[in-house]
């Protein structure tokens, strides 16, 4: 966008801004002018409150196997040196850098300009963005712009030129008719300044007076020097005198042209003050000859000078008009220029044919035309060099250069250096005349400095200059995430993988050439992992091979072709192709600082980020007020880690105070903006995580990293040696060990465990999992060891087993299995406490545990023809106990997990297809089919085809039978029908007691009565439901929300059994007392219990 196209409300309030009406500079970029511009202040204030800018923030995630060179690649991107001793990354390391696409430098910075609200508001002001508060003004300005375009002479050219010409004429008359230079340059320029101050602001008056005074000196020198030529213009009969006159005229005009253009360029470059200081230190020839005789002859000379001034002023005005005519609409027009040149040639020819007595007037007229055109053109050349072409110079350099050039001009024009007398008044006046101009500049600098906090005019001018130079004024802030490659951290990776990001998958090319099949499988693992998250069309993947120098060119080409053949087609919508060969691979050598392929990779990363649609979405810059407060909280968190996590209510209050965000939708958009940029972590799609905001992602990364990082034996404390041993061998961690691991954050352990449980990265377990420990224990699935025993010993197949499969395609469901395991254990751990005789078996690839007293649930990761499956086996002890609700609950668990952590992951759930596993001709009846589908060992596991009963896009069926098809084969799957409470009765009921009394334990209530009590309290349509019961039992709000988020069908049962387990012996009398409390008042439940107790 060009600043010159801004609406008139953005222009200088001065109606006569010198040079504004001549060419493409409709606004002066002088700091003093910008500081006094009221419309510019209004635009900046509007930008601070209502301005919007493109996001210009993006995340770059670097993934890959261990020791592939990910950290070294990140260091190269950041401009750091290659370190051969680089240590492996643990967890995730985040780095922030700012990128300016002028030079593609990636600079690591704590305070990026993209985070500075003054910088962003200055950008909005420079780009001329209109806020909603300025819509009325914009409409008026558009009408004025339309009228200007229809007639370029109206408002923009003719009235301003006429006013400027009148002012110039009056000034010339005063200067030359009354001989102002005989009183000295200083007196002349400051008198002119005083007069102009009456009509304009003093900043404009100072610049205009200084500028015009310098050209008055130039014009005065030309008149004094050319007096001989004018007097001898009729002496053509003298031999040789005419040729000598013409030759000297040409020489003088060439010198005048050079001096005029140079003086204009010096003014445009900002050297005007230095030139003025040089003339202030010099004496005009008339000032030296100011005697009585000169005064006596002044009346005769004044009349003649008046004629000269009138004719010359007409030429100056005509020249400015010609220049404006030729450069209309911000560019040179060759036809208009040719017209003006032809007109000037005609005037020159006309002057040569006239009487020699009138030739001097034509000379003055043409001289005024040429001088005005040359001065204007020179000024614009200087201004363009500074503002459009990026010329840079310090204040001292510009003024020194101007002073030297001023000394040169004073010598050429016949001025002499002024030497003051030895008297104090003379020296004082001399110093004042020299220092007046620098002191005025110093005064303006002080005003700019004084208001920089409220109106950063220097920053605004810098942005305007960048716009004029057609350079980008917005820098891109990149959040670079280096992911550890160890499988230990894979479970936590998916928490931080966003929908909108650029993914870089790194692998070791030398290792890939040695094991092509293995490396391709690893690349496919990372590709499918990314595709499970990336949904936005501009979320792309770049594959980078490192250690290029250690692989021959032939092997590089062969592997590139094989990779292209295997992955380009299925992932064409995500992969970035190398522009050099149109293959999805960028090969680099991190140790080579001059690697051209690395420069190509770097440019491609930036190009993709810059062109991404999500990076161009506009967001209010007032959000940066909130971000500044986030940064302050991070500094505070260095002392107290609790400041890293805030509740949503605290965030809402902070947003309302800092950036006036009061609407709930605006708050959600703001948190989404910073979340997608990688500045915070907030999950709006989870009941627990919605209520907490992590202000620094690295904090949560460090929390998870400490949880899964086991120190060497020599580094462990003897007090926790047994806990470390059990944690390493079973994945069970005690609360005491958690306190020890987090050390200075031990007071945050309840909050951290709550967050980790909400992310399904850990779950509480019953004492049966860790019978030798009396402390509260947790299971961390990522630390589970793999099963190394015999599959038959793990779980002997039973004839009444029912096997179903979750089919995730080519995605590795290990991390989904971990999350599902935590949900199932959380669901079952109340029953496990009530049944200590059960012996669960939990491993990294399979698990077996009881659900209540009637079911055994087995989960196992399986592979089928390169497809990844998660099998679910349910063993029912009692044939009458249906498993339909349990299957539905498992499907709901997986759908909830994938929707939150793997939003683009697709899966199917159902039984194994019997037609694909057996010879169809051997199947005679549906009885045969059911026999072969009852176990998972009858068929070939290498050919498992799952018949879809439910999936990510299909809920679990509610009617039976379910009709399934495989090709042209039809199969009916019969699901046992049951009431919603049947599964819970089968999962948790104990042997029935025929009679009970007030002293009877609540765990020994009759099953039918216990179910009816739970059913009444589970009813959420009434206020005093199970949530109020939880509060009466001592649960806080967050614990209730956690239980609610797990979507447990019978939360009342969980609460009552946990109460009985914690307190040891909870009787019916205790239950009746709680139900009768004022907040609960469930008299209906009390009456039902008492009625049946009386009957028994």
């Amino acid at each position: 966008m060009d600043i010159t196209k801004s609406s008139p409300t953005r222009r200088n309030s001065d109606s006569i801004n010198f040079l504004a009406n001549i060419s493409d500079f409709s606004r002066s970029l002088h700091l003093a002018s910008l500081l006094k511009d009221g419309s510019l202040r209004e635009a900046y204030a509007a930008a601070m409150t209502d301005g919007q800018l493109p996001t210009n923030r993006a995340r770059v995630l670097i993934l890959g196997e261990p020791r592939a060179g990910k950290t070294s690649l990140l260091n190269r991107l950041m401009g750091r040196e290659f370190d051969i001793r680089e240590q492996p990354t643990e967890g995730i390391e985040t780095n922030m850098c700012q990128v300016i696409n002028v030079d593609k430098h990636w600079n690591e910075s704590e305070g990026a300009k993209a985070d500075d609200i003054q910088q962003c508001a200055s950008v909005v002001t420079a780009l001329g963005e209109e806020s909603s508060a300025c819509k009325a003004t914009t409409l008026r300005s558009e009408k004025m712009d339309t009228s200007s375009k229809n007639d370029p002479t109206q408002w923009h050219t003719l009235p301003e030129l006429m006013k400027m010409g009148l002012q110039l004429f009056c000034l010339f008359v005063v200067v030359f008719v009354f001989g102002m230079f005989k009183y000295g340059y200083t007196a002349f320029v400051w008198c002119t300044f005083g007069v102009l101050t009456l009509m304009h602001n003093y900043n404009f008056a100072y610049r205009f007076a200084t500028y015009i005074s310098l050209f008055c000196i130039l014009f005065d020198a030309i008149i004094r020097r050319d007096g001989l030529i004018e007097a001898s213009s009729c002496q053509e009969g003298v031999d040789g005198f005419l040729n000598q006159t013409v030759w000297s005229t040409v020489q003088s005009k060439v010198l005048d042209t050079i001096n005029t253009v140079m003086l204009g360029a010096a003014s445009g470059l900002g050297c005007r003050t230095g030139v003025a200081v040089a003339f202030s230190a010099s004496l005009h020839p008339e000032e030296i000859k100011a005697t009585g005789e000169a005064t006596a002859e002044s009346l005769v000379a004044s009349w003649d000078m008046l004629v000269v001034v009138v004719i010359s002023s007409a030429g100056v005005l005509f020249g400015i008009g010609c220049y404006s005519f030729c450069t209309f609409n911000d560019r040179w027009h060759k036809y208009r220029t040719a017209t003006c040149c032809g007109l000037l040639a005609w005037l020159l020819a006309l002057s040569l044919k006239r009487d020699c007595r009138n030739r001097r007037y034509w000379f003055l007229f043409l001289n005024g035309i040429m001088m005005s055109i040359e001065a204007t053109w020179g000024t614009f050349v200087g201004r363009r060099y500074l503002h459009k072409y990026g010329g840079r110079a310090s204040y001292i350099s510009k003024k020194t250069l101007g002073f030297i050039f001023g000394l040169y001009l004073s010598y050429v024009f016949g001025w002499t250096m002024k030497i003051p007398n030895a008297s104090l008044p003379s020296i004082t006046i001399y110093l004042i005349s020299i220092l007046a101009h620098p002191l005025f500049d110093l005064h303006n600098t002080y005003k700019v400095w004084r208001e920089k906090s409220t109106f950063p005019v220097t920053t605004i001018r810098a942005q305007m200059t960048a716009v004029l130079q057609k350079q980008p004024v917005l820098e891109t802030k990149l959040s670079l995430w280096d992911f550890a490659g160890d499988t230990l951290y894979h479970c936590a990776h998916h928490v931080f993988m966003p929908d909108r990001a650029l993914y870089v998958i790194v692998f070791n090319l030398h290792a890939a050439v040695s094991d092509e099949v293995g490396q391709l499988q690893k690349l496919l693992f990372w590709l499918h992992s990314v595709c499970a998250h990336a949904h936005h069309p501009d979320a792309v993947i770049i594959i980078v091979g490192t250690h290029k120098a250690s692989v021959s060119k032939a092997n590089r080409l062969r592997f590139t072709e094989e990779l292209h053949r295997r992955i380009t087609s299925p992932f064409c919508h995500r992969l970035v192709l190398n522009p050099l060969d149109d293959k999805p691979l960028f090969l680099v050598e991190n140790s080579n600082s001059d690697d051209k392929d690395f420069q190509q990779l770097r440019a491609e990363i930036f190009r993709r980020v810059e062109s991404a649609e999500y990076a161009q979405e506009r967001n209010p810059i007032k959000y940066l007020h909130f971000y500044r407060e986030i940064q302050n909280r991070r500094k505070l968190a260095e002392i107290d880690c609790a400041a890293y996590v805030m509740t949503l209510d605290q965030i809402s209050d902070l947003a309302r105070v800092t950036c006036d965000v009061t609407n709930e939708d605006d708050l959600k958009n703001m948190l989404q903006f910073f979340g997608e940029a990688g500045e915070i972590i907030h999950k709006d799609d989870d009941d627990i995580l919605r209520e907490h905001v992590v202000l620094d992602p690295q904090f949560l990364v460090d929390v998870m990293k400490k949880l899964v990082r086991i120190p060497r034996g020599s580094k462990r404390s003897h007090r926790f040696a047994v806990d470390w041993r059990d944690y390493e061998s079973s994945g069970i961690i005690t609360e005491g060990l958690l306190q020890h691991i987090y050390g200075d954050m031990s007071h945050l352990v309840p909050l951290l465990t709550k967050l980790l449980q909400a992310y399904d990265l850990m779950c509480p377990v019953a004492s049966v999992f860790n019978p030798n420990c009396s402390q509260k224990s947790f299971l961390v699935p990522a630390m589970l060891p793999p099963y190394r025993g015999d599959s038959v010993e793990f779980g002997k197949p039973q004839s009444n087993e029912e096997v179903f499969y979750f089919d995730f395609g080519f995605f590795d469901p290990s991390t989904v299995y971990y999350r599902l395991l935590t949900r199932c254990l959380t669901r079952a751990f109340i029953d496990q406490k009530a049944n200590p005789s059960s012996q669960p078996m939990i491993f990294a690839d399979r698990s077996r545990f009881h659900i209540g007293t009637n079911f055994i649930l087995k989960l196992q990761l399986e592979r089928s023809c390169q497809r990844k499956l998660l099998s679910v086996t349910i063993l029912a002890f009692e044939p009458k106990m249906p498993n339909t609700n349990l299957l539905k609950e498992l499907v709901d668990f997986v759908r909830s997990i994938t929707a939150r952590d793997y939003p683009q992951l697709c899966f199917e759930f159902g039984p194994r297809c019997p037609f694909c596993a057996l010879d169809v001709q051997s199947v005679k009846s549906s009885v045969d089919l059911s026999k072969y589908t009852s176990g998972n060992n009858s068929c070939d596991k290498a050919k498992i085809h799952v018949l879809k009963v439910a999936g990510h896009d299909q809920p679990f069926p509610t009617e039976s039978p379910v009709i399934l098809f495989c090709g042209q084969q039809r199969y009916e799957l019969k699901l046992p029908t049951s009431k919603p409470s049947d599964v819970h009765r089968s999962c948790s009921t104990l042997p029935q007691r025929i009679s009970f009394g007030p002293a009877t334990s609540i765990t020994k209530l009759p099953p039918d009565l216990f179910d009816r009590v739970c059913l009444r309290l589970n009813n959420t349509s009434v206020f005093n439901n199970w949530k109020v019961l939880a509060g009466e039992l001592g649960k806080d709000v967050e614990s209730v929300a956690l239980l609610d988020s797990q979507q447990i069908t019978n939360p009342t049962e969980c609460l009552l059994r946990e109460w009985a387990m914690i307190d040891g012996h909870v009787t019916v009398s205790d239950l009746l007392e709680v139900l009768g409390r004022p907040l609960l008042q469930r008299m209906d439940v009390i009456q039902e219990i008492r009625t049946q107790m009386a009957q028994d």
Side-chain angles (χ1 to χ4, degrees):
M1 175 182 175
D2 193 346
I3 290 181
T4 62
K5 301 294 185 182
S6 302
S7 64
T9 59
R10 306 272 184 182
R11 296 188 178 142
N12 248 348
S13 55
D14 253 322
S15 60
I16 307 178
N17 184 4
F18 187 66
L19 298 178
N21 308 298
I22 299 176
S23 185
D24 56 348
F25 294 92
S26 61
R27 176 193 288 283
S28 171
L29 296 185
H30 194 274
L31 286 176
S33 298
L34 298 177
L35 193 64
K36 289 291 184 180
D37 194 340
S39 62
L40 192 66
R41 285 178 178 270
E42 293 176 2
Y44 177 77
M48 289 285 285
T49 56
D50 302 320
Q52 292 187 347
L53 279 179
T55 302
N56 264 45
R57 296 167 184 256
R59 269 195 277 184
V60 178
L61 278 64
I62 304 178
L63 313 169
E65 296 300 308
R67 309 300 301 178
K70 301 184 297 296
T71 303
S72 297
L73 179 66
L74 183 143
N75 290 336
R76 288 290 312 280
L77 291 174
M78 300 285 291
R80 304 169 185 163
E81 295 295 330
F82 173 76
D83 186 2
I84 195 174
R85 297 169 296 182
E86 189 70 52
Q87 296 298 316
T89 302
E90 294 183 350
I92 303 173
E93 296 294 334
T94 59
N95 294 268
M96 298 292 179
C97 72
Q98 50 182 331
V99 184
I100 303 176
N101 57 353
V102 177
D103 49 15
K104 306 295 189 298
H105 288 172
W106 295 26
N107 302 317
E108 187 174 10
S109 174
E110 292 294 332
K113 292 182 179 179
D115 299 334
D116 189 343
I117 190 169
Q118 285 193 342
Q119 287 278 353
C120 294
S122 299
V123 170
V124 174
T125 305
L127 292 176
E129 294 293 338
E130 298 294 336
S131 65
S132 58
C134 298
K135 286 184 178 179
T137 307
T138 305
L139 292 175
R140 291 196 300 268
S141 65
E142 289 176 354
K143 293 179 181 179
M144 297 177 68
D145 285 341
T146 304
S147 62
S148 300
K149 292 177 182 179
N150 294 336
D151 188 354
T153 63
Q154 290 184 5
W155 181 79
H156 186 70
T157 302
L158 186 58
E160 299 299 329
L161 284 179
M162 293 177 61
K163 194 172 183 180
M164 182 188 298
L166 181 61
Q167 289 181 342
L168 290 177
F169 174 74
C170 295
L171 181 62
F172 284 2
V173 169
V174 172
V175 171
F176 294 104
V177 173
F178 295 98
M180 289 296 296
F181 283 121
K182 68 177 65 175
Y183 303 106
Y185 173 78
T186 302
F188 161 65
V189 70
W190 289 106
C191 287
T192 306
F193 165 74
V195 173
L196 291 177
T197 304
L198 300 176
M199 296 181 288
H200 312 287
N201 68 71
Y202 68 93
N203 285 299
F204 170 75
Y206 166 75
R207 292 182 293 110
F208 187 70
T210 307
Y211 183 86
I212 291 300
S213 64
L214 296 177
F215 285 97
C216 286
I217 293 174
L218 178 61
F219 186 71
D220 172 74
I222 293 175
I223 292 177
R224 287 187 291 102
R225 187 203 61 215
D226 290 340
L228 176 63
I229 300 177
E230 297 169 7
S232 59
S233 58
C234 290
Q235 300 179 8
E236 299 179 2
V238 181
D239 295 339
F241 188 81
L242 179 61
N243 293 333
Q244 180 181 359
T245 301
V246 173
W247 176 245
S248 62
T249 301
V250 173
Q251 287 181 322
S252 62
K253 286 309 300 175
V254 171
L255 181 62
D256 291 342
T257 299
I258 295 174
N259 290 335
T260 304
V261 172
M262 289 179 62
L263 182 58
S267 299
L269 290 170
C271 303
R272 180 176 58 244
T273 299
V275 179
V277 169
F279 280 103
S280 298
S282 303
L283 291 173
H284 186 269
E286 294 294 332
E287 189 177 355
I288 301 174
K289 297 188 297 182
T291 61
E293 294 182 4
T295 304
E297 298 175 356
S298 60
L299 293 177
V300 179
S302 297
W303 175 255
D304 188 54
M305 187 59 68
L306 179 61
V307 176
V308 171
V309 168
V310 171
I311 297 176
S312 300
S313 299
V316 169
L317 185 60
F318 187 80
I320 294 176
C322 289
Y323 190 91
S324 178
F325 179 75
C326 295
T327 60
F328 173 71
N329 201 20
D330 305 341
R331 62 188 181 88
W332 283 96
H333 295 264
K334 58 182 180 180
Y335 297 111
R336 295 188 178 195
T337 303
T339 301
C340 292
C341 290
L343 179 60
L344 292 177
W346 177 76
L347 292 175
L348 181 60
L350 187 64
S351 66
L352 294 176
K353 292 183 177 182
R354 292 293 179 181
D355 188 3
C356 63
R357 288 173 298 181
N358 298 325
R359 191 173 298 166
R360 64 188 297 250
Y361 303 114
W362 284 104
F363 166 79
L364 292 173
F365 182 72
L366 293 173
N367 186 72
I369 294 175
M370 296 307 299
M371 196 179 87
S372 61
I373 293 176
E374 293 161 0
T376 304
W377 182 78
T379 303
F380 283 135
V381 168
R383 294 184 68 175
R384 286 193 181 95
Y385 175 76
L386 283 180
H387 301 312
K388 283 195 172 182
Y389 307 123
R392 292 289 185 270
S394 64
Y395 177 84
I396 300 297
S397 301
K398 291 190 293 185
K399 305 315 175 187
T400 302
L401 180 63
F403 181 74
I404 295 174
F405 179 65
L407 293 179
Y408 157 76
L409 289 182
S410 63
Y411 173 77
V412 172
F413 295 163
W415 291 53
T416 58
M417 290 298 298
K418 183 188 301 182
I419 301 177
N421 298 328
S423 61
L424 181 60
S426 179
I427 295 176
T428 303
I429 295 175
Y430 179 75
L431 292 177
I432 291 176
S433 64
I434 292 178
L435 298 177
H437 292 84
L439 288 176
F440 193 91
D441 288 347
L442 183 63
H443 168 67
N444 286 333
T445 303
Y446 168 74
K447 290 194 302 181
V448 171
W449 173 83
R450 186 181 60 187
E451 299 193 30
K452 67 178 181 179
S453 60
T454 58
F455 185 56
V457 64
T458 304
T459 306
I460 294 175
R461 186 180 70 166
Q463 303 295 355
M464 289 181 170
T465 303
V467 172
L468 284 173
Q469 296 169 9
K470 297 184 179 179
Q471 295 180 357
V473 293
L474 296 173
E475 67 177 14
T476 300
K477 184 178 181 182
L478 296 182
S479 178
L480 304 177
W481 295 52
D482 181 12
F483 283 65
D486 296 330
T487 56
L488 190 65
Y489 301 105
H490 288 178
C491 189
H493 283 176
H494 293 277
V495 176
F496 304 98
M497 297 175 69
D499 167 32
R500 302 178 174 193
L502 186 145
Y503 292 88
V504 180
I505 299 177
V506 184
F507 70 96
N508 188 326
L509 182 62
H510 184 266
V513 171
S514 304
D515 182 17
E516 287 189 7
V517 176
Q519 188 59 59
L520 285 173
Q521 289 298 324
K522 294 175 181 177
L523 285 176
L524 287 173
F525 164 78
W526 290 110
L527 287 168
H528 286 293
S529 297
V530 172
C531 290
H533 295 270
H535 172 67
H536 197 279
D538 290 330
V540 295
I541 304 172
I542 296 179
I543 300 179
V544 178
T546 59
H547 302 82
K548 176 184 68 173
S550 60
V551 180
S552 64
K553 184 176 181 180
N555 286 334
R556 293 202 300 262
L557 292 175
R558 180 173 55 81
F559 184 82
T560 302
E561 290 293 338
E562 179 64 17
L563 184 68
H564 175 64
R565 185 183 66 83
R566 291 284 301 274
I567 70 173
T568 301
S569 179
F571 299 99
C572 60
H573 61 300
R574 295 292 175 203
L575 290 175
V576 175
L577 302 183
N578 193 329
L580 299 179
D581 56 5
D582 278 349
K583 300 295 191 301
L585 182 59
F586 292 77
L587 301 178
V588 299
E589 179 58 51
N590 289 329
S591 60
N592 183 6
S593 58
D594 298 327
D595 186 9
K596 294 183 179 179
D597 292 330
F598 172 78
Q599 301 299 332
Q600 178 69 32
L601 167 66
R602 193 175 183 178
E604 190 66 25
I605 290 176
F606 181 78
R607 188 178 71 84
R608 292 288 176 171
V609 169
E610 185 184 34
S611 60
E613 181 181 335
Y614 58 80
Q616 304 303 320
E617 293 178 355
R618 293 180 173 270
N619 290 279
I621 63 175
K622 66 180 181 181
Y623 289 171
L624 297 179
H625 288 298
F626 176 78
Y627 181 71
R628 184 184 303 169
E629 189 61 30
I630 289 179
Q631 292 176 316
N632 295 335
R633 298 281 177 141
R634 289 176 181 173
K635 294 178 181 178
L636 178 63
E638 296 176 0
I639 303 174
D640 182 9
C641 295
Y644 277 124
V645 182
M646 298 179 65
T647 64
L648 188 61
D649 292 337
Q650 292 173 329
I651 289 291
S652 179
D653 295 339
L654 185 64
R656 182 172 59 255
V657 173
T658 56
C659 55
D660 194 29
V661 173
T662 57
N663 186 277
E664 185 177 348
D665 292 336
D666 291 342
L667 178 64
K668 181 179 178 180
N669 292 336
M670 184 181 71
L671 293 178
Q672 182 181 1
F673 164 65
F674 286 115
E676 291 174 349
E679 303 287 357
I680 63 173
I681 293 182
H682 178 248
K683 296 282 188 179
D684 189 61
D685 50 1
D686 186 273
D687 293 336
I688 299 298
L689 300 177
R690 183 187 300 118
E691 299 300 322
H692 294 86
V693 179
V694 180
L695 300 185
D696 189 356
Q698 189 64 52
F699 168 73
L700 191 58
V701 169
D702 294 339
V703 167
M704 297 178 180
K705 182 169 62 177
K706 288 183 177 182
L707 183 65
V708 299
R709 185 173 58 186
I710 297 181
R712 298 171 54 188
S714 59
K715 302 293 184 181
R716 301 175 186 176
S717 171
H718 288 282
R719 294 176 53 196
F720 299 94
V722 176
D723 292 344
W724 278 119
R725 180 201 64 192
D726 295 341
Y727 183 40
E728 187 175 12
S729 61
S730 65
I732 305 292
I733 188 170
T734 62
E735 191 171 25
L737 185 57
L738 280 173
Q739 298 279 351
H740 172 67
I741 287 175
Y742 290 115
D744 56 345
M745 295 189 296
S746 58
H747 62 290
L748 296 179
V749 167
L751 174 63
L752 298 180
T753 55
K754 188 175 300 183
L755 288 176
L756 293 174
Q757 289 180 59
Y759 280 108
D760 296 319
L761 299 178
M762 71 184 317
C763 67
V765 293
S767 58
V768 67
F769 285 81
N770 197 9
N772 298 325
C773 180
S774 60
Q775 300 183 53
K776 188 176 181 180
S777 300
F778 300 88
L779 174 70
V780 181
M783 299 299 297
L784 287 172
Y787 181 71
R788 303 187 185 279
D790 189 358
S791 59
V792 177
E793 295 178 359
F794 178 78
K796 188 175 181 180
Q798 303 289 329
S799 60
N800 57 341
E801 282 184 349
E802 296 185 71
V803 184
F804 291 84
Y805 294 89
F806 287 98
D807 186 357
F808 295 92
F810 295 102
F811 177 80
D812 188 346
S814 300
T815 55
V816 180
Y817 161 73
Y818 291 155
R819 286 162 166 77
L820 177 61
L821 181 61
T822 60
R823 299 253 180 134
C824 292
L825 291 177
T826 302
R827 168 69 182 84
F829 105 105
I830 298 296
D831 301 295
Q832 294 293 342
K833 291 178 180 178
N835 186 13
S837 62
S838 64
Q839 294 295 327
M841 300 180 67
I842 310 296
F843 297 95
D845 54 352
R846 64 192 69 190
S847 58
R848 186 192 69 189
F849 48 90
H850 285 76
I851 298 290
T853 57
N854 294 299
F855 288 124
I856 289 182
L857 177 63
K858 290 195 295 185
L859 304 175
Q860 183 172 344
L861 294 171
E862 298 187 18
R863 180 184 295 272
S864 173
C865 297
Q866 297 184 353
R867 297 178 71 85
K868 311 296 175 61
L869 305 173
L870 174 59
S871 66
V872 176
T873 304
I874 299 178
L875 174 62
F877 293 116
E878 299 182 18
K880 295 183 179 180
M881 293 299 176
N883 60 8
T884 305
N885 287 342
L886 183 57
L887 290 175
K888 179 180 182 301
E889 194 169 358
L890 291 175
V891 172
D892 291 341
F893 279 160
V894 175
R895 292 185 67 186
S896 173
I897 290 169
T898 55
R900 185 192 66 189
D901 295 337
Y902 313 87
Q904 302 306 311
L905 180 60
C906 302
F907 72 90
E908 297 179 355
F909 175 79
R912 184 175 186 177
C913 176
F915 305 108
C916 296
L918 302 174
D919 184 5
V920 179
Q921 299 299 325
S922 66
V923 181
K924 300 298 183 182
S925 65
S926 61
V927 178
D928 297 324
L929 291 177
S930 61
K931 178 180 67 176
Y932 283 105
T933 57
S934 63
N936 65 343
N937 298 289
S938 309
C939 304
D940 181 14
K941 291 184 180 180
K943 299 180 180 179
I944 297 179
H945 172 215
V946 178
L947 295 177
K948 185 176 180 180
V949 174
H952 66 283
D953 56 349
Q954 179 179 332
F956 195 84
T958 57
E959 297 181 357
S960 180
V962 180
I963 308 301
L964 305 173
F965 294 92
C966 178
Q968 297 181 359
Q969 303 293 331
R970 183 176 183 268
Y971 174 57
E972 292 186 3
L973 175 66
K974 295 182 179 180
L975 298 175
T977 58
S978 61
K979 298 178 181 179
S981 61
D982 288 345
V983 64
H984 301 290
R985 183 184 300 114
S986 65
C987 292
S988 55
T989 56
L990 297 176
Q992 297 185 15
R993 310 285 294 191
I994 297 176
S995 61
F996 68 99
T1000 304
S1001 173
I1002 62 172
T1003 60
K1004 297 184 179 181
L1005 284 172
D1008 57 337
L1009 176 62
F1010 191 87
D1011 284 345
R1012 291 198 303 272
V1013 170
C1014 293
L1015 188 62
R1016 288 178 179 273
L1017 292 174
N1018 287 337
N1019 185 7
T1020 57
S1021 62
V1022 296
F1023 170 75
N1024 47 351
N1025 52 32
W1026 68 268
K1027 296 182 180 180
V1028 180
L1029 173 64
E1032 294 297 325
L1033 296 180
K1035 295 287 186 180
D1036 56 14
V1037 177
E1038 294 176 345
S1039 299
V1040 175
L1042 174 63
L1043 188 61
D1044 190 27
S1045 67
Q1046 294 171 352
Q1047 300 179 354
I1048 297 176
T1049 312
N1050 197 344
T1052 303
E1053 180 185 359
C1054 296
L1055 289 172
L1056 294 178
R1057 294 198 178 279
E1058 184 180 16
W1059 182 27
M1061 185 273 300
I1062 294 176
D1063 290 352
H1065 184 70
V1066 180
T1067 64
V1068 175
S1069 178
D1070 297 330
L1071 177 60
L1072 294 175
E1073 187 272 330
V1074 172
L1075 293 174
R1077 290 178 182 176
L1079 290 179
L1080 199 55
Q1081 283 290 326
R1082 290 305 300 265
M1083 303 308 299
D1084 56 334
V1085 181
I1086 295 174
Q1087 183 63 32
E1088 186 167 0
I1089 294 175
R1090 286 177 174 172
T1091 300
Q1092 186 160 342
M1093 185 167 54
Q1095 292 175 356
D1096 293 337

